[in-house]
PDB file of all heavy atoms in Angstrom:
ATOM      1  N   ASP A 200      97.485  74.883  84.855  1.00  0.00           N
ATOM      2  CA  ASP A 200      96.014  74.654  84.852  1.00  0.00           C
ATOM      3  C   ASP A 200      95.655  73.790  86.063  1.00  0.00           C
ATOM      4  O   ASP A 200      96.146  72.666  86.181  1.00  0.00           O
ATOM      5  CB  ASP A 200      95.573  73.988  83.502  1.00  0.00           C
ATOM      6  CG  ASP A 200      94.063  73.736  83.433  1.00  0.00           C
ATOM      7  OD1 ASP A 200      93.375  74.079  84.373  1.00  0.00           O
ATOM      8  OD2 ASP A 200      93.688  73.200  82.414  1.00  0.00           O
ATOM      9  N   PRO A 201      94.781  74.261  86.937  1.00  0.00           N
ATOM     10  CA  PRO A 201      94.443  73.501  88.168  1.00  0.00           C
ATOM     11  C   PRO A 201      93.854  72.111  87.802  1.00  0.00           C
ATOM     12  O   PRO A 201      94.004  71.193  88.602  1.00  0.00           O
ATOM     13  CB  PRO A 201      93.383  74.361  88.889  1.00  0.00           C
ATOM     14  CG  PRO A 201      93.511  75.673  88.328  1.00  0.00           C
ATOM     15  CD  PRO A 201      94.180  75.582  86.946  1.00  0.00           C
ATOM     16  N   ASP A 202      93.232  71.973  86.672  1.00  0.00           N
ATOM     17  CA  ASP A 202      92.646  70.720  86.293  1.00  0.00           C
ATOM     18  C   ASP A 202      93.658  69.673  85.916  1.00  0.00           C
ATOM     19  O   ASP A 202      93.410  68.459  85.890  1.00  0.00           O
ATOM     20  CB  ASP A 202      91.660  70.887  85.139  1.00  0.00           C
ATOM     21  CG  ASP A 202      90.500  71.735  85.479  1.00  0.00           C
ATOM     22  OD1 ASP A 202      90.135  71.798  86.726  1.00  0.00           O
ATOM     23  OD2 ASP A 202      89.921  72.453  84.633  1.00  0.00           O
ATOM     24  N   THR A 203      94.889  70.097  85.510  1.00  0.00           N
ATOM     25  CA  THR A 203      95.916  69.180  85.079  1.00  0.00           C
ATOM     26  C   THR A 203      97.095  69.039  86.071  1.00  0.00           C
ATOM     27  O   THR A 203      98.043  68.237  85.766  1.00  0.00           O
ATOM     28  CB  THR A 203      96.465  69.536  83.706  1.00  0.00           C
ATOM     29  OG1 THR A 203      97.091  70.829  83.805  1.00  0.00           O
ATOM     30  CG2 THR A 203      95.344  69.572  82.652  1.00  0.00           C
ATOM     31  N   VAL A 204      97.063  69.721  87.129  1.00  0.00           N
ATOM     32  CA  VAL A 204      98.189  69.705  88.044  1.00  0.00           C
ATOM     33  C   VAL A 204      98.472  68.295  88.573  1.00  0.00           C
ATOM     34  O   VAL A 204      99.592  67.876  88.597  1.00  0.00           O
ATOM     35  CB  VAL A 204      97.942  70.703  89.256  1.00  0.00           C
ATOM     36  CG1 VAL A 204      98.991  70.472  90.342  1.00  0.00           C
ATOM     37  CG2 VAL A 204      98.027  72.123  88.775  1.00  0.00           C
ATOM     38  N   GLU A 205      97.424  67.585  88.989  1.00  0.00           N
ATOM     39  CA  GLU A 205      97.611  66.203  89.505  1.00  0.00           C
ATOM     40  C   GLU A 205      98.252  65.318  88.416  1.00  0.00           C
ATOM     41  O   GLU A 205      99.230  64.571  88.704  1.00  0.00           O
ATOM     42  CB  GLU A 205      96.290  65.631  89.917  1.00  0.00           C
ATOM     43  CG  GLU A 205      96.418  64.196  90.501  1.00  0.00           C
ATOM     44  CD  GLU A 205      95.094  63.612  90.926  1.00  0.00           C
ATOM     45  OE1 GLU A 205      94.036  64.150  90.556  1.00  0.00           O
ATOM     46  OE2 GLU A 205      95.179  62.529  91.594  1.00  0.00           O
ATOM     47  N   ARG A 206      97.733  65.314  87.201  1.00  0.00           N
ATOM     48  CA  ARG A 206      98.251  64.517  86.121  1.00  0.00           C
ATOM     49  C   ARG A 206      99.701  64.863  85.819  1.00  0.00           C
ATOM     50  O   ARG A 206     100.533  63.982  85.662  1.00  0.00           O
ATOM     51  CB  ARG A 206      97.396  64.661  84.904  1.00  0.00           C
ATOM     52  CG  ARG A 206      97.828  63.799  83.719  1.00  0.00           C
ATOM     53  CD  ARG A 206      96.915  63.941  82.527  1.00  0.00           C
ATOM     54  NE  ARG A 206      97.255  63.042  81.438  1.00  0.00           N
ATOM     55  CZ  ARG A 206      98.105  63.279  80.501  1.00  0.00           C
ATOM     56  NH1 ARG A 206      98.702  64.450  80.418  1.00  0.00           N
ATOM     57  NH2 ARG A 206      98.314  62.464  79.573  1.00  0.00           N
ATOM     58  N   ASP A 207     100.014  66.153  85.847  1.00  0.00           N
ATOM     59  CA  ASP A 207     101.346  66.609  85.558  1.00  0.00           C
ATOM     60  C   ASP A 207     102.331  66.191  86.621  1.00  0.00           C
ATOM     61  O   ASP A 207     103.470  65.820  86.382  1.00  0.00           O
ATOM     62  CB  ASP A 207     101.409  68.127  85.312  1.00  0.00           C
ATOM     63  CG  ASP A 207     100.696  68.604  84.083  1.00  0.00           C
ATOM     64  OD1 ASP A 207     100.455  67.712  83.158  1.00  0.00           O
ATOM     65  OD2 ASP A 207     100.351  69.771  83.980  1.00  0.00           O
ATOM     66  N   LEU A 208     101.866  66.256  87.865  1.00  0.00           N
ATOM     67  CA  LEU A 208     102.705  65.753  89.000  1.00  0.00           C
ATOM     68  C   LEU A 208     102.950  64.311  88.862  1.00  0.00           C
ATOM     69  O   LEU A 208     104.101  63.840  89.086  1.00  0.00           O
ATOM     70  CB  LEU A 208     102.018  66.133  90.365  1.00  0.00           C
ATOM     71  CG  LEU A 208     102.812  65.727  91.599  1.00  0.00           C
ATOM     72  CD1 LEU A 208     104.183  66.327  91.589  1.00  0.00           C
ATOM     73  CD2 LEU A 208     102.005  66.027  92.824  1.00  0.00           C
ATOM     74  N   VAL A 209     101.898  63.547  88.574  1.00  0.00           N
ATOM     75  CA  VAL A 209     102.038  62.056  88.423  1.00  0.00           C
ATOM     76  C   VAL A 209     103.029  61.840  87.274  1.00  0.00           C
ATOM     77  O   VAL A 209     103.892  60.894  87.385  1.00  0.00           O
ATOM     78  CB  VAL A 209     100.699  61.415  88.201  1.00  0.00           C
ATOM     79  CG1 VAL A 209     100.833  60.006  87.729  1.00  0.00           C
ATOM     80  CG2 VAL A 209      99.879  61.451  89.445  1.00  0.00           C
ATOM     81  N   LYS A 210     102.898  62.582  86.198  1.00  0.00           N
ATOM     82  CA  LYS A 210     103.804  62.364  85.023  1.00  0.00           C
ATOM     83  C   LYS A 210     105.258  62.606  85.453  1.00  0.00           C
ATOM     84  O   LYS A 210     106.173  61.818  85.100  1.00  0.00           O
ATOM     85  CB  LYS A 210     103.420  63.352  83.926  1.00  0.00           C
ATOM     86  CG  LYS A 210     104.283  63.231  82.708  1.00  0.00           C
ATOM     87  CD  LYS A 210     103.764  64.204  81.634  1.00  0.00           C
ATOM     88  CE  LYS A 210     104.668  64.244  80.416  1.00  0.00           C
ATOM     89  NZ  LYS A 210     104.235  65.199  79.420  1.00  0.00           N
ATOM     90  N   LEU A 211     105.524  63.689  86.208  1.00  0.00           N
ATOM     91  CA  LEU A 211     106.882  63.917  86.680  1.00  0.00           C
ATOM     92  C   LEU A 211     107.417  62.776  87.611  1.00  0.00           C
ATOM     93  O   LEU A 211     108.549  62.331  87.454  1.00  0.00           O
ATOM     94  CB  LEU A 211     106.953  65.282  87.413  1.00  0.00           C
ATOM     95  CG  LEU A 211     108.266  65.635  88.032  1.00  0.00           C
ATOM     96  CD1 LEU A 211     109.335  65.806  86.934  1.00  0.00           C
ATOM     97  CD2 LEU A 211     108.116  66.961  88.773  1.00  0.00           C
ATOM     98  N   VAL A 212     106.600  62.386  88.539  1.00  0.00           N
ATOM     99  CA  VAL A 212     106.974  61.292  89.474  1.00  0.00           C
ATOM    100  C   VAL A 212     107.300  59.989  88.705  1.00  0.00           C
ATOM    101  O   VAL A 212     108.281  59.347  88.962  1.00  0.00           O
ATOM    102  CB  VAL A 212     105.939  61.137  90.603  1.00  0.00           C
ATOM    103  CG1 VAL A 212     106.238  59.881  91.406  1.00  0.00           C
ATOM    104  CG2 VAL A 212     105.924  62.335  91.456  1.00  0.00           C
ATOM    105  N   LEU A 213     106.355  59.668  87.814  1.00  0.00           N
ATOM    106  CA  LEU A 213     106.551  58.446  87.023  1.00  0.00           C
ATOM    107  C   LEU A 213     107.760  58.504  86.094  1.00  0.00           C
ATOM    108  O   LEU A 213     108.461  57.506  85.909  1.00  0.00           O
ATOM    109  CB  LEU A 213     105.328  58.156  86.197  1.00  0.00           C
ATOM    110  CG  LEU A 213     104.083  57.678  86.984  1.00  0.00           C
ATOM    111  CD1 LEU A 213     102.938  57.429  86.044  1.00  0.00           C
ATOM    112  CD2 LEU A 213     104.376  56.465  87.849  1.00  0.00           C
ATOM    113  N   THR A 214     108.104  59.675  85.663  1.00  0.00           N
ATOM    114  CA  THR A 214     109.299  59.895  84.827  1.00  0.00           C
ATOM    115  C   THR A 214     110.555  59.556  85.685  1.00  0.00           C
ATOM    116  O   THR A 214     111.457  58.838  85.224  1.00  0.00           O
ATOM    117  CB  THR A 214     109.383  61.332  84.252  1.00  0.00           C
ATOM    118  OG1 THR A 214     108.278  61.502  83.435  1.00  0.00           O
ATOM    119  CG2 THR A 214     110.671  61.511  83.477  1.00  0.00           C
ATOM    120  N   VAL A 215     110.578  60.061  86.879  1.00  0.00           N
ATOM    121  CA  VAL A 215     111.731  59.849  87.763  1.00  0.00           C
ATOM    122  C   VAL A 215     111.782  58.343  88.110  1.00  0.00           C
ATOM    123  O   VAL A 215     112.855  57.742  88.120  1.00  0.00           O
ATOM    124  CB  VAL A 215     111.659  60.708  89.023  1.00  0.00           C
ATOM    125  CG1 VAL A 215     112.673  60.277  90.021  1.00  0.00           C
ATOM    126  CG2 VAL A 215     111.797  62.157  88.682  1.00  0.00           C
ATOM    127  N   VAL A 216     110.665  57.717  88.439  1.00  0.00           N
ATOM    128  CA  VAL A 216     110.634  56.312  88.784  1.00  0.00           C
ATOM    129  C   VAL A 216     111.064  55.456  87.581  1.00  0.00           C
ATOM    130  O   VAL A 216     111.854  54.499  87.745  1.00  0.00           O
ATOM    131  CB  VAL A 216     109.228  55.892  89.295  1.00  0.00           C
ATOM    132  CG1 VAL A 216     109.133  54.338  89.406  1.00  0.00           C
ATOM    133  CG2 VAL A 216     108.915  56.573  90.622  1.00  0.00           C
ATOM    134  N   GLU A 217     110.640  55.812  86.383  1.00  0.00           N
ATOM    135  CA  GLU A 217     111.045  55.061  85.229  1.00  0.00           C
ATOM    136  C   GLU A 217     112.511  55.236  84.946  1.00  0.00           C
ATOM    137  O   GLU A 217     113.203  54.212  84.574  1.00  0.00           O
ATOM    138  CB  GLU A 217     110.231  55.543  83.991  1.00  0.00           C
ATOM    139  CG  GLU A 217     110.639  54.935  82.723  1.00  0.00           C
ATOM    140  CD  GLU A 217     110.365  53.411  82.628  1.00  0.00           C
ATOM    141  OE1 GLU A 217     109.637  52.868  83.486  1.00  0.00           O
ATOM    142  OE2 GLU A 217     110.920  52.716  81.761  1.00  0.00           O
ATOM    143  N   LEU A 218     113.105  56.363  85.174  1.00  0.00           N
ATOM    144  CA  LEU A 218     114.563  56.591  85.065  1.00  0.00           C
ATOM    145  C   LEU A 218     115.281  55.615  85.962  1.00  0.00           C
ATOM    146  O   LEU A 218     116.225  54.911  85.613  1.00  0.00           O
ATOM    147  CB  LEU A 218     114.959  58.005  85.252  1.00  0.00           C
ATOM    148  CG  LEU A 218     116.443  58.292  85.249  1.00  0.00           C
ATOM    149  CD1 LEU A 218     117.054  58.002  83.885  1.00  0.00           C
ATOM    150  CD2 LEU A 218     116.659  59.755  85.667  1.00  0.00           C
ATOM    151  N   LEU A 219     114.841  55.596  87.246  1.00  0.00           N
ATOM    152  CA  LEU A 219     115.437  54.762  88.211  1.00  0.00           C
ATOM    153  C   LEU A 219     115.264  53.274  87.939  1.00  0.00           C
ATOM    154  O   LEU A 219     116.106  52.463  88.130  1.00  0.00           O
ATOM    155  CB  LEU A 219     114.919  55.119  89.613  1.00  0.00           C
ATOM    156  CG  LEU A 219     115.242  56.431  90.182  1.00  0.00           C
ATOM    157  CD1 LEU A 219     114.500  56.717  91.471  1.00  0.00           C
ATOM    158  CD2 LEU A 219     116.713  56.564  90.391  1.00  0.00           C
ATOM    159  N   ARG A 220     114.062  52.929  87.399  1.00  0.00           N
ATOM    160  CA  ARG A 220     113.821  51.521  87.044  1.00  0.00           C
ATOM    161  C   ARG A 220     114.787  51.039  85.922  1.00  0.00           C
ATOM    162  O   ARG A 220     115.335  49.972  86.044  1.00  0.00           O
ATOM    163  CB  ARG A 220     112.365  51.324  86.591  1.00  0.00           C
ATOM    164  CG  ARG A 220     111.977  49.855  86.333  1.00  0.00           C
ATOM    165  CD  ARG A 220     110.713  49.729  85.525  1.00  0.00           C
ATOM    166  NE  ARG A 220     110.855  50.213  84.161  1.00  0.00           N
ATOM    167  CZ  ARG A 220     111.483  49.492  83.182  1.00  0.00           C
ATOM    168  NH1 ARG A 220     112.020  48.349  83.450  1.00  0.00           N
ATOM    169  NH2 ARG A 220     111.579  49.992  81.970  1.00  0.00           N
ATOM    170  N   GLN A 221     114.969  51.941  84.977  1.00  0.00           N
ATOM    171  CA  GLN A 221     115.878  51.567  83.887  1.00  0.00           C
ATOM    172  C   GLN A 221     117.330  51.440  84.310  1.00  0.00           C
ATOM    173  O   GLN A 221     118.042  50.609  83.915  1.00  0.00           O
ATOM    174  CB  GLN A 221     115.758  52.585  82.703  1.00  0.00           C
ATOM    175  CG  GLN A 221     114.446  52.437  81.938  1.00  0.00           C
ATOM    176  CD  GLN A 221     114.418  53.295  80.717  1.00  0.00           C
ATOM    177  OE1 GLN A 221     115.391  53.747  80.233  1.00  0.00           O
ATOM    178  NE2 GLN A 221     113.194  53.585  80.209  1.00  0.00           N
ATOM    179  N   LEU A 222     117.742  52.335  85.240  1.00  0.00           N
ATOM    180  CA  LEU A 222     119.094  52.257  85.793  1.00  0.00           C
ATOM    181  C   LEU A 222     119.269  50.974  86.581  1.00  0.00           C
ATOM    182  O   LEU A 222     120.280  50.319  86.472  1.00  0.00           O
ATOM    183  CB  LEU A 222     119.383  53.494  86.637  1.00  0.00           C
ATOM    184  CG  LEU A 222     119.516  54.792  85.937  1.00  0.00           C
ATOM    185  CD1 LEU A 222     119.564  55.953  86.906  1.00  0.00           C
ATOM    186  CD2 LEU A 222     120.687  54.813  84.985  1.00  0.00           C
ATOM    187  N   MET A 223     118.276  50.611  87.410  1.00  0.00           N
ATOM    188  CA  MET A 223     118.332  49.384  88.201  1.00  0.00           C
ATOM    189  C   MET A 223     118.369  48.153  87.245  1.00  0.00           C
ATOM    190  O   MET A 223     119.129  47.155  87.512  1.00  0.00           O
ATOM    191  CB  MET A 223     117.109  49.296  89.134  1.00  0.00           C
ATOM    192  CG  MET A 223     117.224  50.235  90.272  1.00  0.00           C
ATOM    193  SD  MET A 223     115.662  50.390  91.292  1.00  0.00           S
ATOM    194  CE  MET A 223     114.926  48.777  91.217  1.00  0.00           C
TER     195      MET A 223
END
């Protein structure tokens, strides 16, 4: 859905950052 692409991309990026934060 073009209306949710930005939010979904942010969700994916934040998921990766959160994984790295927890590992650190």
Side-chain angles (χ1 to χ4, degrees):
D200 181 0
D202 297 332
T203 63
V204 169
E205 180 181 14
R206 182 178 185 272
D207 292 343
L208 179 59
V209 168
K210 181 179 174 181
L211 177 62
V212 170
L213 289 179
T214 298
V215 171
V216 171
E217 178 62 16
L218 175 63
L219 293 173
R220 186 195 68 76
Q221 288 186 20
L222 291 172
M223 289 171 30

